[in-house]
Amino acid sequence: MSTTQTTTTNWFFACKTSDVPTNGGVCVKYKDEQIALFYFSRRDEWYATQNLCPHRRQMALSRGMTGTVKDEPKVACPFHKKTFSLADGRCISDETECSLTVYPVKIIDDLVYIGVDTLFAAI
């Protein structure tokens, strides 16, 4: 008997769009995870990443500075200034191996939903 694993995306309600500051972020709690949620008003784009900065292991990214590097959306840790891509989570400020987990975001009727992957084992 073999076991296969499948992944499904579960969408959870995070907040209202009005709860997120323009060109800023908030921290959203999902089960035991802290997720940083960002809204770029000038790009009209939403992003979600882990809130934990992998560099110094502090829950701080939702308070980071957002901006762009070569038209790529990014967030800089407010404490250490490590810069990460909001699109794919990689560190763009240097050549370190640390990166962020990113989550899909969707907006439905001014409500923000974040997608979290769940792994299932099927026999």
Side-chain angles (χ1 to χ4, degrees):
M1 187 178 338
S2 67
T3 302
T4 59
Q5 294 184 341
T6 58
T7 303
T8 185
T9 300
N10 293 317
W11 294 91
F12 74 91
F13 168 71
C15 61
K16 297 177 186 176
T17 55
S18 60
D19 294 331
V20 182
T22 301
N23 297 313
V26 296
C27 181
V28 175
K29 187 135 176 160
Y30 175 74
K31 296 185 179 182
D32 292 333
E33 293 183 56
Q34 289 187 28
I35 298 174
L37 175 65
F38 302 96
Y39 175 56
F40 267 68
S41 66
R42 61 188 170 262
R43 296 172 67 110
D44 195 27
E45 294 174 347
W46 291 84
Y47 299 95
T49 70
Q50 68 189 50
N51 194 37
L52 179 69
C53 176
H55 176 236
R56 293 280 175 96
R57 317 262 329 136
Q58 290 181 306
M59 295 291 188
L61 290 178
S62 62
R63 294 178 282 154
M65 292 187 59
T66 58
T68 56
V69 173
K70 299 180 183 174
D71 202 39
E72 180 170 11
K74 58 108 179 162
V75 62
C77 176
F79 296 116
H80 318 107
K81 307 303 183 241
K82 287 276 189 193
T83 305
F84 301 92
S85 166
L86 289 173
D88 62 17
R90 77 187 186 294
C91 184
I92 55 180
S93 60
D94 61 31
E95 297 298 320
T96 64
E97 292 295 320
C98 61
S99 62
L100 303 177
T101 299
V102 295
Y103 303 92
V105 179
K106 65 182 177 181
I107 309 301
I108 301 173
D109 297 327
D110 293 323
L111 302 178
V112 182
Y113 294 87
I114 298 173
V116 178
D117 287 343
T118 304
L119 187 63
F120 292 98
I123 298 174

Short mmCIF file of all heavy atoms in Angstrom, two decimals, residues 15-21 46 110 112:
data_model
loop_
_atom_site.label_atom_id
_atom_site.label_comp_id
_atom_site.label_asym_id
_atom_site.label_seq_id
_atom_site.Cartn_x
_atom_site.Cartn_y
_atom_site.Cartn_z
N CYS A 15 -9.04 39.93 7.45
CA CYS A 15 -9.50 41.22 7.94
C CYS A 15 -10.27 41.92 6.82
O CYS A 15 -10.39 41.39 5.72
CB CYS A 15 -8.33 42.09 8.40
SG CYS A 15 -7.13 42.47 7.09
N LYS A 16 -10.74 43.11 7.10
CA LYS A 16 -11.33 43.96 6.07
C LYS A 16 -10.21 44.73 5.38
O LYS A 16 -9.17 45.00 6.00
CB LYS A 16 -12.32 44.96 6.69
CG LYS A 16 -13.50 44.32 7.37
CD LYS A 16 -14.35 45.40 8.01
CE LYS A 16 -15.46 44.78 8.82
NZ LYS A 16 -16.24 45.81 9.52
N THR A 17 -10.41 45.13 4.14
CA THR A 17 -9.39 45.89 3.44
C THR A 17 -9.08 47.20 4.17
O THR A 17 -7.93 47.65 4.19
CB THR A 17 -9.79 46.19 1.99
OG1 THR A 17 -11.06 46.87 1.99
CG2 THR A 17 -9.90 44.92 1.16
N SER A 18 -10.07 47.78 4.80
CA SER A 18 -9.87 49.05 5.51
C SER A 18 -9.03 48.90 6.78
O SER A 18 -8.58 49.90 7.36
CB SER A 18 -11.22 49.68 5.86
OG SER A 18 -11.97 48.80 6.67
N ASP A 19 -8.79 47.67 7.23
CA ASP A 19 -7.97 47.43 8.42
C ASP A 19 -6.47 47.52 8.15
O ASP A 19 -5.67 47.55 9.09
CB ASP A 19 -8.27 46.05 9.01
CG ASP A 19 -9.68 45.93 9.55
OD1 ASP A 19 -10.24 46.96 9.98
OD2 ASP A 19 -10.22 44.80 9.55
N VAL A 20 -6.09 47.53 6.88
CA VAL A 20 -4.67 47.53 6.52
C VAL A 20 -4.27 48.93 6.07
O VAL A 20 -4.92 49.51 5.20
CB VAL A 20 -4.39 46.50 5.38
CG1 VAL A 20 -2.91 46.47 5.03
CG2 VAL A 20 -4.88 45.12 5.79
N PRO A 21 -3.22 49.50 6.66
CA PRO A 21 -2.83 50.86 6.27
C PRO A 21 -2.34 50.92 4.82
O PRO A 21 -1.74 49.97 4.32
CB PRO A 21 -1.71 51.21 7.25
CG PRO A 21 -1.21 49.91 7.77
CD PRO A 21 -2.35 48.94 7.68
N TRP A 46 -1.77 43.18 -3.15
CA TRP A 46 -1.76 42.64 -1.80
C TRP A 46 -0.72 41.53 -1.71
O TRP A 46 -0.58 40.73 -2.64
CB TRP A 46 -3.13 42.08 -1.44
CG TRP A 46 -4.16 43.14 -1.28
CD1 TRP A 46 -4.88 43.73 -2.29
CD2 TRP A 46 -4.58 43.76 -0.08
NE1 TRP A 46 -5.72 44.67 -1.77
CE2 TRP A 46 -5.56 44.71 -0.41
CE3 TRP A 46 -4.22 43.60 1.26
CZ2 TRP A 46 -6.19 45.49 0.56
CZ3 TRP A 46 -4.84 44.37 2.21
CH2 TRP A 46 -5.81 45.31 1.86
N ASP A 110 -14.34 43.57 -0.41
CA ASP A 110 -13.60 44.33 0.60
C ASP A 110 -13.19 43.49 1.82
O ASP A 110 -12.89 44.05 2.88
CB ASP A 110 -14.36 45.58 1.05
CG ASP A 110 -14.47 46.59 -0.08
OD1 ASP A 110 -13.51 46.73 -0.85
OD2 ASP A 110 -15.53 47.26 -0.17
N VAL A 112 -10.40 40.52 3.07
CA VAL A 112 -9.10 39.96 2.71
C VAL A 112 -9.03 38.51 3.17
O VAL A 112 -9.29 38.21 4.33
CB VAL A 112 -7.94 40.76 3.34
CG1 VAL A 112 -6.60 40.20 2.91
CG2 VAL A 112 -8.05 42.24 3.00
#
